[in-house]
Amino acid sequence: MPTRRPLPEPDPLTRPFWDAVNERRLEIQRCTACSRYHHPPVALCACLCTELRWEPVSGRGRIHSWAIARDTRLASFTDRLPYALASVELEEDAGVLLLSNVPGAALDELYIGMPVQVEFEQIAPGQLLPQFRPVS
């Protein structure tokens, strides 16, 4: 039987992200003044604007970097080892990186620049997790 994975614990700043994810949408915070995207979300943009809104994004991106996890110290993940942990650069902004597993990809087939698309995996009742799957 798989071990229960840790669940997100949203705070007021991250709650809009997780609410969108649980509705199978990927939304990223964006500054209304300079249009800069932010992930993780921030309370104050680098341009000093505090007016930040959540905008839907395509969910398409490319693998920016990746590593293979083989560490057995975290019991919640030992039944999934080895697995890929990737930093995914979103199509909308190369500066926005999301961490993800890469379901559907053989570990020896991953490469930097690999195109990926978000999908949403249910990890508990009512809780989804954005994951990025290779685009064929």
Side-chain angles (χ1 to χ4, degrees), residues 42-93:
V42 297
L44 178 69
C45 182
C47 76
L48 304 181
C49 179
T50 57
E51 293 182 40
L52 301 142
R53 67 174 175 251
W54 290 87
E55 290 189 0
V57 292
S58 67
R60 292 185 299 272
R62 296 195 177 275
I63 291 180
H64 178 262
S65 64
W66 57 275
I68 297 174
R70 299 179 194 279
D71 191 334
T72 60
R73 291 177 286 176
L74 295 174
S76 300
F77 296 96
T78 55
D79 61 335
R80 292 168 170 65
L81 294 174
Y83 64 88
L85 180 61
S87 174
V88 174
E89 185 175 86
L90 290 183
E91 177 179 88
E92 285 78 7
D93 187 334

Side-chain angles (χ1 to χ4, degrees), residues 70-134:
R70 299 179 194 279
D71 191 334
T72 60
R73 291 177 286 176
L74 295 174
S76 300
F77 296 96
T78 55
D79 61 335
R80 292 168 170 65
L81 294 174
Y83 64 88
L85 180 61
S87 174
V88 174
E89 185 175 86
L90 290 183
E91 177 179 88
E92 285 78 7
D93 187 334
V96 176
L97 301 174
L98 280 80
L99 292 178
S100 173
N101 298 122
V102 191
L107 298 179
D108 61 350
E109 293 176 358
L110 294 171
Y111 61 91
I112 292 174
M114 174 183 262
V116 291
Q117 173 72 43
V118 75
E119 66 176 31
F120 300 94
E121 176 187 352
Q122 184 170 334
I123 59 171
Q127 182 60 62
L128 302 179
L129 186 67
Q131 303 277 31
F132 285 84
R133 181 176 289 280

Side-chain angles (χ1 to χ4, degrees), residues 13-14 17 29 38-43 54:
L13 199 55
T14 62
F17 174 81
Q29 189 187 53
H38 295 281
H39 188 82
V42 297
W54 290 87

